[in-house]
Each structure stands twice: as structure tokens, then as C-alpha cells.
């Protein structure tokens, strides 16, 4: 619903501003420029979406192999000790525990199509433990906030869009996105833990923190002394190596489990093709609206206002054009995806702004959408402090993404 209002506002505001420019400033070309820009953006959206078909088909095929081989179950068993400490209100052995772990495991592995139905199942099972059916429980709030700030090991769709846009090394945003999503995840967890008075100083949680913090320090100290161009190459190399290693692991593990790896791939690939085709109308819709907004100068007014405010404090302003991606992401993943593409088209896919927009898109989640879908599925109306904690995680994640972009891409 929020995206509906934003989409309508883009067109209405653009029309009003165009009329003002025509009537008061004599700009007789503004409406022809508007139409041409919208048609060009529609064409760009279709071309980008078609470019996604290949990689989405391939990647969801690989993910289906891991899913049918039981890789998610293996992963779930590994993270169970950590998640059990965050949900003290859920009895040991309750079905919700398994669904929660499966949901997070699927999200971390990039299995969005599998994560959502499992997540809704987890919310339904948590609702069975809820004595006040219209008010969210502590466990439901923790589950929701960690979903909105969840860790994604591989930002598949972002890498795919960078590839479709002609990036020299589409995976070079892999490491900063991983670090950014971890920071967002931790901030959301800390916020909810503070409200619920959960003691985070327990061995499984400390081990989890230590592993990721150690990984981030290792990456940082290993790369910090390299020149920016070398850092980009090394970050891209590590990202490519890890992603290809996961592909090999899934294939080998599937073969070891004696499943028909090829048939599993084809089954997942069909889902990937369908997913890529489904993206086309959403991407075109938002790109056309953004084009109208940008052609009339409205986007420049917003970005310029933020730039002046940032420059007033003596800060570098290169990050400002990517900030709208983070603001839109809280409302809509599709809308943020469109803004990210717009930034890459305007400034260049391998520009600082293009990479920052990609990091933001790959390390944040659609808070309003997730809360609406998950809570709405079980009829919860009183969400208490869930939105506050989710937005706090989004803000911290946005700031972290900006800092990481300067560290990795200067």
C-alpha cells in the first residue's frame, strides 16, 4: 500500500512541476522530454529484466539442488544453538523452532522463494503460543525484526542486476554487503534484546558474534592497506571464489546424497525463469515513475537539498544520490531495486554511487512489507515496538553501507 502512494505521488508531483515549468518558465519541451524519458525507461526496464533471466534461472537451479539435498537442514542444525537463545518463550521441541531456523537458513542462502512460505508457517506456529491473538509476542517481534534485518550471505539479485547493467566485476560488492547486512542484523537484535531484557552474553551467541566479527576484521585488515583499485580486485576475487565454492559444494553434496542433480537443477531453473519474468512489470512500473520524477528535476531537488545539508557540515557528498535507495527499501524492495538501477544508469554501474546503491540494496530489507505480510497473515494488529526496532536496524544498516562503500571503493 505504501508503494502505491509513492508511485502515484511520483507521477502527480512530476505533472505539477512540469506544468509550473511550462506556464511560468516557458519550458515547451518539458512534456515531450517526460514522455521520451518514460518510454526509454520502460525499454531499459525490459532489457534489464530479460538480462536477469539467465542468472536467475541458473542460480535458483543451483539453490534447488541444495534444497533437495538437505543442505538447508544441515545449515539449520548448525545455527540452532544460537537461535534457541533468542526465543526463550518458545518451548524446546515446539514446531516453531524448526520453522524459524529453516526460514533464516533459507534467507541466508538466498532462497527467497523458499524462505517466505516457511516464514509464514513459523509465524502461524508462534501464534499458537500467543495468549493475546491481536498483540505480538516477544518471540514474534524478535522473529520479525531479525527477518527485516536478516543476514544474506549472497545478494543474488543485486549481483544479477549489476551483471545485466554491464559491471566489470558484478560480485565486487559481495564483501561490503555481507558486512553491512551483519551490522544491520546485530543492531536489530540488540534493539529487541534491550526491550525484552534478553541476556546476550551466552556461549552460542558469543560464538556467533565472534565468528562474524573475526571474519570482518580479517577482511578489513587484509584489505585496508591495498590501493582502492587493488582492493576492488581482491574483494571481487574473494566474492567470486566463495560463490563458486558454494555452487560446487551444493553440486557435490547433492551427488553424494544420490539425488538427480541435473533434474533438481532444471526444476529450480524453471522457478528462476518464472521469477525473472515476474520482475518485468514491477521494474518497468517503478523505473517509468522515477524517470518522470527525475526528468522534471524533482529528484535533483531532493538530492540537492540533502547535498547542501551534508556539505554544510563539511562532509563528502558523493554518497547522497544513493540515499533514496535506502529510504525506499524500508517501503518496497521493488521500488528500491528500481532506484538502484536508476542510480547505476545515471552515474555508472561501476561508479562509487552505483556500487553504494548496490551495497544498500544488498544489505537491507523491506521493513514495512515484511511486518505487513507476516503480522497480517495471523491477524496481529498491535505490533508494539517491532517497527521501531526494524527501522533502527535499517538506519544503522544504511549508515554502515555508506561507511563500507568509502572503505572499499574510496
Amino acid at each position: 500500500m505504501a508503494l502505491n502512494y509513492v508511485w502515484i505521488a511520483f507521477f502527480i508531483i512530476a505533472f505539477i512541476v512540469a506544468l509550473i515549468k511550462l506556464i511560468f518558465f516557458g519550458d515547451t519541451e518539458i512534456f515531450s522530454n517526460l514522455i521520451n524519458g518514460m518510454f526509454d525507461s520502460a525499454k531499459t526496464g525490459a532489457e534489464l529484466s530479460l538480462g536477469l533471466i539467465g542468472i536467475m534461472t541458473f542460480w535458483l537451479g543451483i539453490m534447488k539442488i541444495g534444497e533437495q539435498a538437505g543442505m538447508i537442514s544441515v545449515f539449520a542444525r548448525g545455527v540452532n544453538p544460537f537461535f534457541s537463545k533468542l526465543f526463550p518463550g518458545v518451548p524446546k521441541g515446539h514446531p516453531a523452532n524448526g520453522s524459524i531456523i529453516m526460514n533464516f537458513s533459507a534467507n541466508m542462502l538466498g532462497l527467497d522463494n523458499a524462505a517466505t512460505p516457511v516464514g509464514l508457517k513459523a509465524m502461524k506456529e508462534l501464534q499458537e503460543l500467543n495468549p493475546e491473538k491481536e498483540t505480538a509476542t516477544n518471540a514474534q517481534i524478535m522473529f520479525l525484526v531479525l527477518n527485516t534485518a536478516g543476514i544474506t550471505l549472497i545478494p543474488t539479485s543485486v549481483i544479477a542486476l549489476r551483471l545485466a547493467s554491464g559491471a566489470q566485476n558484478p560480485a565486487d560488492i559481495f564483501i561490503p554487503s555481507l558486512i553491512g547486512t551483519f551490522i544491520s542484523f546485530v543492531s536489530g537484535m540488540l534493539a529487541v534484546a534491550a526491550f525484552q531484557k534478553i541476556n546476550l552474553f551466552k556461549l552460542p551467541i558469543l560464538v556467533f558474534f565472534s565468528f562474524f566479527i573475526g571474519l570482518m576484521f580479517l577482511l578489513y585488515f587484509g584489505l585496508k592497506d591495498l590501493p582502492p583499485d587493488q582492493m576492488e580486485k581482491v574483494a571481487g576475487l574473494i566474492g567470486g571464489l566463495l560463490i563458486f565454492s558454494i555452487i560446487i559444494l551444493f553440486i557435490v553434496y547433492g551427488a553424494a546424497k544420490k539425488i538427480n542433480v541435473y533434474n533438481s537443477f532444471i526444476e529450480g531453473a524453471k522457478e528462476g525463469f518464472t521469477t525473472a519474468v515476474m520482475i518485468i512489470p514491477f521494474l518497468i512500473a517503478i523505473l517509468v515513475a522515477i524517470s518522470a520524477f527525475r526528468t522534471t528535476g524533482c529528484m535533483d531537488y531532493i538530492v540537492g537539498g540533502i547535498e547542501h545539508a551534508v556539505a554544510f557540515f563539511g562532509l563528502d557528498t558523493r554518497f547522497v544520490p544513493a540515499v533514496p535507495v535506502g529510504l525506499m527499501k524500508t517501503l518496497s524492495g521493488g521500488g528500491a531495486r528500481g532506484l538502484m538501477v536508476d542510480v547505476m544508469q545515471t552515474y555508472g554501474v561501476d561508479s562509487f554511487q552505483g556500487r553504494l546503491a548496490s551495497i544498500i540494496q544488498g544489505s537491507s530489507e523491506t521493513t514495512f512489507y515484511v511486518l505487513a505480510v507476516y503480522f497480517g497473515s495471523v491477524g496481529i494488529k498491535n505490533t508494539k515496538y517491532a517497527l521501531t526496532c526494524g527501522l533502527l536496524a535499517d538506519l544503522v544498516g544504511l549508515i554502515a553501507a555508506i561507511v563500507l562503500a568509502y572503505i572499499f571503493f574510496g
Side-chain angles (χ1 to χ4, degrees):
M1 184 62 70
L3 181 59
N4 176 52
Y5 294 135
V6 172
W7 194 75
I8 293 171
F10 274 154
F11 282 106
I12 292 178
I13 293 172
F15 180 71
I16 293 172
V17 172
L19 277 180
I20 292 174
K21 288 191 171 184
L22 173 63
I23 296 171
F24 294 99
F25 298 96
D27 188 349
T28 56
E29 297 182 355
I30 185 63
F31 280 99
S32 60
N33 291 337
L34 260 175
I35 297 301
N36 290 336
M38 290 167 60
F39 287 166
D40 287 342
S41 294
K43 179 182 177 182
T44 299
E47 290 172 348
L48 283 173
S49 298
L50 291 174
L52 283 175
I53 290 176
I55 190 169
M56 290 295 288
T57 299
F58 170 75
W59 188 249
L60 286 188
I62 293 296
M63 290 296 101
K64 180 61 73 172
I65 295 172
E67 182 184 351
Q68 294 189 350
M71 180 60 72
I72 294 183
S73 299
V74 173
F75 194 76
R77 288 196 294 271
V79 299
N80 179 54
F82 166 68
F83 281 109
S84 64
K85 304 302 180 185
L86 296 179
F87 299 91
V90 181
K92 187 176 181 180
H94 192 277
N97 287 309
S99 297
I100 289 170
I101 295 169
M102 292 288 281
N103 171 258
F104 280 102
S105 300
N107 271 324
M108 292 178 76
L109 293 174
L111 289 168
D112 294 336
N113 58 324
T116 300
V118 176
L120 293 175
K121 183 172 182 287
M123 182 58 67
K124 181 180 179 181
E125 290 165 346
L126 289 173
Q127 185 71 348
E128 294 173 0
L129 301 171
N130 188 358
E132 300 178 29
K133 298 302 182 183
E134 293 190 356
T135 301
T137 64
N138 285 350
Q140 287 174 318
I141 292 173
M142 177 66 82
F143 177 62
L144 258 294
V145 173
L146 294 187
N147 248 280
T148 64
I151 297 176
T152 302
L153 295 179
I154 304 174
T156 309
S157 61
V158 176
I159 293 175
L161 281 169
R162 287 179 55 74
L163 176 64
S165 298
Q168 291 185 351
N169 190 345
D172 59 7
I173 51 89
F174 169 72
I175 293 176
S177 292
L178 175 61
I179 297 174
T181 192
F182 174 71
I183 292 173
S184 178
F185 178 85
V186 171
S187 63
M189 183 175 62
L190 290 175
V192 178
F195 274 102
Q196 298 183 3
K197 297 180 172 55
I198 294 176
N199 180 15
L200 297 178
F201 292 97
K202 294 181 180 179
L203 184 59
I205 297 177
L206 293 177
V207 169
F208 177 84
F209 278 152
S210 299
F211 172 76
F212 272 96
I213 291 173
L215 177 63
M216 287 190 291
F217 272 104
L218 179 64
L219 292 171
Y220 174 71
F221 285 108
L223 299 174
K224 71 181 182 69
D225 294 326
L226 296 176
D229 59 334
Q230 289 297 315
M231 184 182 292
E232 292 173 19
K233 291 180 181 178
V234 173
L237 172 63
I238 294 174
L241 177 62
L242 287 175
I243 292 172
F244 191 67
S245 297
I246 290 174
I247 292 171
I248 295 299
L249 173 64
F250 280 20
I251 293 174
V252 172
Y253 190 81
K257 288 292 183 177
K258 301 189 184 305
I259 69 167
N260 191 317
V261 176
Y262 179 78
N263 284 347
S264 296
F265 176 86
I266 296 301
E267 183 181 341
K270 291 177 181 178
E271 295 178 9
F273 180 85
T274 302
T275 301
V277 172
M278 287 175 61
I279 290 174
I280 295 177
F282 297 99
L283 190 56
I284 290 177
I286 196 65
L287 282 180
V288 169
I290 292 170
S291 173
F293 199 70
R294 181 180 290 281
T295 302
T296 56
C298 297
M299 185 70 77
D300 294 334
Y301 299 149
I302 293 175
V303 172
I306 299 174
E307 266 186 16
H308 281 95
V310 171
F312 177 78
F313 293 99
L315 302 175
D316 183 79
T317 60
R318 287 182 300 150
F319 73 90
V320 175
V323 169
V325 178
L327 300 179
M328 177 63 79
K329 191 65 188 282
T330 63
L331 299 171
S332 164
R337 187 186 300 115
L339 282 172
M340 179 191 73
V341 171
D342 182 68
V343 171
M344 291 193 298
Q345 293 288 322
T346 303
Y347 296 91
V349 65
D350 288 323
S351 65
F352 175 82
Q353 293 84 355
R355 286 181 168 127
L356 173 55
S358 300
I359 296 171
I360 293 172
Q361 177 73 3
S363 60
S364 57
E365 193 46 85
T366 51
T367 298
F368 285 99
Y369 173 80
V370 172
L371 263 67
V373 171
Y374 278 66
F375 278 147
S377 69
V378 292
I380 287 177
K381 298 178 181 178
N382 183 4
T383 62
K384 297 163 70 172
Y385 47 86
L387 180 59
T388 300
C389 293
L391 292 178
L392 176 62
D394 290 339
L395 176 61
V396 173
L398 176 59
I399 295 172
I402 294 170
V403 173
L404 288 165
Y406 277 103
I407 292 174
F408 281 87
F409 306 114

